[in-house]
Amino acid sequence: MLEGLLIGLQTALSLQNLLLVIGGCLIGTFIGMLPGLGPMSIISIMIPVAISMGDPSGALILLAGVYYGAIFGGSTSSILLNAPGVAGTVASAFDGYPMAQQGKAGKALTIAAVSSFAGGTIGAVLLMIFAPALSSVALLFHSAEYFALMVVGLSAIAAFAGSGQVAKAMMMTVLGLILATVGEGALFNLPRFTMGIMDLQSGFGFITLAMAMFALPEAIFLVLKPKVIEGDGGEIKDLRITKDEAKSIAPVIGRQSIQGFFIGVLPGAGATIASFLGYAVERNLSTKEEQEEFGKGSIKGLAAPETANNAACTGSFVPLLTLGIPGSGTTAILLGALIALNVTPGPRLMIDQPQVFWAVIMSMFIGNLILLILNLPLIPYIAKVLSVPRNYLIPFILFFTLMGAYIGQNNATELLMLVGFGVCATALRFANYPLAPLLIGFILGGMLEDNFARSMQLYDGVAFIWERPMTLGLLVLAVILVILPSFRARRAKLKRKGVADGD
C-alpha cells in the first residue's frame, strides 16, 4: 500500500494533474450550482476532452474532480433557492433552505462546505484502506438485497414526516411510486400509463419533478404571500460555526462519513439513498427537542446529508475501480471513459496500472481541499443571492426552474408537466402534505421495481425473502424504521398522560 501511495502522490502532484484537479473541481462546482445540469450532463460533455488527453490518470482525475465538485456545489441551489438540481442534494434543502430563510444562509453554506469536505476526505481514507476487501463484499449483494435496500430507503419517509403526519407521508410515498411506474416497465419493454403520449414513454424526468415539488411552489408562494417579499432575507451574518455547533455536528459528520461511504460501495445505491438514509438515521438518533427542529433549520439535518452524499461519491469508486461495476449513472459514464482510454477496471487494476488507481485516490484528498479553499472565501458572495429583492428573485427562480426542466429532457412537453406538477405541489403544500416523501418514492421506485422483478424471475416468486438471510434482515430493519417513530410518539403520549394523572 505504501508503494502505491507514493506512486499515486507522485502522479497526482505533477503540475498537469494538479491543474486538472483544480479545473475539474471549478467546473463541477459551478455546474452543480445550476439546477438541471448535474454531474452526468457535464461529465458526458467532458469525456471527449478527457479522451483526447491520452493519459488515463489525468483523464480520470479530471472527470472525478468534476463529479465530486458537482455534488459539492449542488447544495448551493438547494440551500439558497430550494431548487435541488442533483438528486444527491435533495435532502440538503430540507433544513438548508429554512436556515437561509432565517437569515442564516452564510452559516448553512459554511456547514455544507465543511461537511462535504469531511465526508469526501474521510471517504477517501476509507477507500484507500478498504477498497480491495470491500470489492468482495459488494459481490454478495444481488437483486434481492438491492430490493430490500430500496425498501429501507423508502422506510426513511417516517423521518420526513412531522408530528402526526406519518400517514400523509406514506400516502405521498405511494404517489411517488405510482409516478415512477409511468413509462417502460422492468419486465416488459412496453410503454404503460402513458395515455398515448409519446413523450411519456421514458417516464417523468427527475429534474422536472424535483423543480415542480420544491422550486416552483416557492416562486408561487412568493407571489401569493406578498408580505414574505417585504421581509429582509438578504442580510448575511453568522458565517462562522460556533464551538457548540461544531460539537453538535462533529459526531454526525463522523457517523455519516462511514455510513455514506459503505452505502456508496454498493452498486446502485449511491449518493441519493445515502443522503436520505443519513438524514433519517440522524433524526432518529436525536433527542425529542432536536427532532422537532428537523425540517425547520436544524444544523444536524443539513450536516448529515451533505456528509453522506460526498462520502458515498467516494465509495462509488470502489465497485467502479475494483470490479468494473458502475454504481450509478455517473460512474457508468466514467466506466465508458475508462474503456475508451484502454483501461480495464477490475481486480487487476491495482496490479497492472497502479498509477491510475492510486492517482485517483490521492487526487481526491487534493480535490476536497481545493473545494474547501475555493468555497469558504466565496460564501459571503454566494449568499448575496438572497439580498436580491424577492420581487426580482421570482423571475430568477422561474427562469432556472424552466431551464433546468427543459435541459433535463430537451423536450418542451416537460415545461407543461412542470407547471402541472407545480400547481398540484402548491395545493398539497397548502394542505400541509410533506412533498419530500413523494420525491423519495419516485427516485427509488424505478430501482425498487427493477430489482424486485429480477428477484422474482430468479427465485420463481417471493421465496427470495426468506431464502436470503441478508434480504430478510434488511426488510426487518425497514419495518423497525417505520414503526419506531409511531412507538416513540405513543410512549411519549402515555408518559404525558401518566404525569397528568399524577397531578
Side-chain angles (χ1 to χ4, degrees), residues 24-91:
C25 291
L26 272 170
I27 294 166
T29 302
F30 287 111
I31 292 299
M33 288 179 187
L34 299 173
L37 282 172
M40 282 180 72
S41 308
I42 189 60
I43 287 174
S44 302
I45 296 165
M46 295 292 291
I47 278 180
V49 178
I51 292 171
S52 65
M53 288 164 42
D55 174 24
S57 303
L60 199 57
I61 283 170
L62 172 67
L63 295 174
V66 171
Y67 181 26
Y68 47 78
I71 299 294
F72 201 105
S75 58
T76 305
S77 59
S78 293
I79 291 168
L80 297 183
L81 302 175
N82 201 23
V86 182
T89 61
V90 168

Side-chain angles (χ1 to χ4, degrees), residues 250-340:
V252 174
I253 289 172
R255 282 191 296 267
Q256 292 313 314
S257 295
I258 297 167
Q259 180 180 298
F261 174 80
F262 285 112
I263 290 171
V265 167
L266 304 173
T272 307
I273 195 167
S275 62
F276 287 142
L277 281 178
Y279 188 94
V281 166
E282 291 307 326
R283 187 183 184 279
N284 286 330
L285 289 175
S286 299
T287 61
K288 191 184 174 186
E289 292 76 19
E290 288 175 334
Q291 280 184 7
E292 288 172 3
E293 288 178 24
F294 274 69
K296 299 173 184 175
S298 165
I299 57 169
K300 285 187 174 183
L302 176 59
E306 275 299 298
T307 307
N309 64 22
N310 279 269
C313 283
T314 311
S316 68
F317 278 84
V318 172
L320 175 68
L321 296 175
T322 60
L323 298 173
I325 299 171
S328 63
T330 310
T331 48
I333 295 168
L334 287 172
L335 176 62
L338 280 172
I339 293 166

Side-chain angles (χ1 to χ4, degrees), residues 457-488:
Q457 285 178 326
L458 287 169
Y459 292 91
D460 294 325
V462 293
F464 66 89
I465 292 174
W466 50 86
E467 282 185 19
R468 299 188 68 84
M470 206 184 298
T471 303
L472 186 62
L474 286 168
L475 291 173
V476 169
L477 175 63
V479 171
I480 291 168
L481 284 172
V482 171
I483 293 171
L484 191 63
S486 301
F487 173 74
R488 273 183 169 180

Side-chain angles (χ1 to χ4, degrees), residues 97-112:
Y97 185 67
M99 284 183 74
Q101 286 184 307
Q102 294 161 18
K104 298 177 183 175
K107 179 168 285 189
L109 290 169
T110 305
I111 290 170

Side-chain angles (χ1 to χ4, degrees), residues 194-209:
T194 59
M195 296 169 286
I197 301 169
M198 286 290 291
D199 293 324
L200 285 179
Q201 279 200 226
S202 56
F204 297 114
F206 158 73
I207 298 294
T208 304
L209 203 61

Side-chain angles (χ1 to χ4, degrees), residues 417-436:
M417 291 182 198
L418 174 75
V419 174
F421 281 129
V423 171
C424 294
T426 307
L428 287 166
R429 190 166 157 181
F430 270 117
N432 203 25
Y433 277 82
L435 297 175

